[in-house]
Amino acid sequence: GENVEQHPSTLSVQEGDSAVIKCTYSDSASNYFPWYKQELGKRPQLIIDIRSNVGEKKDQRIAVTLNKTAKHFSLHITETQPEDSAVYFCAASMNDMRFGAGTRLTVKP
Amino acid sequence: KAGVTQTPRYLIKTRGQQVTLSCSPISGHRSVSWYQQTPGQGLQFLFEYFSETQRNKGNFPGRFSGRQFSNSRSEMNVSTLELGDSALYLCASSLGEGGANQPQHFGDGTRLSIL
């Protein structure tokens, strides 16, 4: 089945800096790649997603890139703010959704 | 629109008991997926239902089961509870068939503690 690896497990940045989280997947048939943000004690919330026929997608300060050949995708957050502090999960799916282990992002004011 | 609603929010059981968790999807959503979240294993896929049929199943023992009703509400059941079943159980709904390939909207989860 699909295996998703996510790095780094923790990331600390200064407010205003950029943050990058990377994921790799094993099943070349995976065709949908969402990213979720989970604040402490809250539900995971979808922040951006990308499909396998698209290489890059941007939504304000958040962007995702996908390299199908290398089977990796990345989340980029620019101009980070303290409210961006949370755990971020990547996922890859075809028939079922497999999640990475999560990245705890801390944005220091 | 109301979001995904899961009940109960918290549950305490003892080993050997069974438990039933409930999930009401967003109105109009027909696909429901269940996940187990633990600090050690992260988010793991349990199963997905669409039109009252289980479409996909994760790698969990047969003690974990589920069903979906005609109004798209779903329940999951865990029998013969073990200490390792302590976790946050999350339900997510999506619009149509193939829920894993669509934006999923999560509920707040049911936190199950096994004593």
Side-chain angles (χ1 to χ4, degrees):
Chain A
E2 178 64 274
N3 183 44
V4 179
E5 294 193 0
Q6 183 172 346
H7 299 280
S9 56
T10 61
L11 179 59
S12 181
V13 300
Q14 209 64 39
E15 182 178 0
D17 287 351
S18 295
V20 180
I21 302 170
K22 298 182 180 182
C23 289
T24 60
Y25 61 99
S26 60
D27 189 345
S28 56
S30 289
N31 56 13
Y32 178 60
F33 307 90
W35 285 87
Y36 286 86
K37 173 185 179 182
Q38 187 175 29
E39 296 176 71
L40 191 63
K42 296 194 175 179
R43 64 183 74 183
Q45 290 199 303
L46 178 69
I47 56 171
I48 196 167
D49 57 6
I50 193 168
R51 297 195 182 272
S52 57
N53 59 347
V54 175
E56 185 173 354
K57 185 176 177 181
K58 191 174 181 181
D59 182 4
Q60 298 181 9
R61 297 186 297 109
I62 294 172
V64 57
T65 58
L66 171 65
N67 182 325
K68 281 196 310 181
T69 304
K71 288 188 282 187
H72 67 70
F73 56 114
S74 301
L75 177 72
H76 304 252
I77 305 174
T78 59
E79 300 171 23
T80 53
Q81 300 165 5
E83 50 265 40
D84 293 331
S85 296
V87 179
Y88 291 81
F89 293 95
C90 63
S93 77
M94 191 187 68
N95 292 319
D96 58 64
M97 195 168 291
R98 301 297 172 109
F99 286 83
T103 296
R104 184 174 300 279
L105 173 65
T106 303
V107 180
K108 298 177 184 175
Chain B
K1 260 185 187 177
V4 177
T5 304
Q6 290 188 245
T7 56
R9 289 293 312 278
Y10 303 92
L11 208 46
I12 300 175
K13 292 285 186 179
T14 56
R15 280 181 297 173
Q17 288 186 310
Q18 74 164 17
V19 67
T20 299
L21 312 182
S22 178
C23 172
S24 293
I26 291 172
S27 178
H29 283 197
R30 297 172 62 195
S31 178
V32 173
S33 298
W34 288 89
Y35 298 87
Q36 181 194 64
Q37 186 174 30
T38 60
Q41 299 296 319
L43 270 160
Q44 292 189 285
F45 171 74
L46 280 156
F47 24 65
E48 179 202 346
Y49 286 88
F50 178 81
S51 288
E52 302 176 65
T53 303
Q54 186 180 93
R55 297 302 175 122
N56 286 297
K57 190 178 191 310
N59 190 25
F60 278 81
R63 300 184 298 106
F64 292 81
S65 63
R67 60 178 175 167
Q68 187 181 35
F69 302 95
S70 58
N71 62 357
S72 296
R73 190 178 71 85
S74 177
E75 288 181 348
M76 67 164 280
N77 184 277
V78 188
S79 61
T80 320
L81 287 164
E82 301 177 359
L83 291 177
D85 297 335
S86 293
L88 180 66
Y89 290 88
L90 290 161
C91 163
S93 75
S94 53
L95 200 55
E97 191 171 5
N101 289 326
Q102 302 175 41
Q104 296 195 350
H105 302 266
F106 283 85
D108 288 327
T110 294
R111 185 163 297 282
L112 176 63
S113 299
I114 312 302
L115 303 180

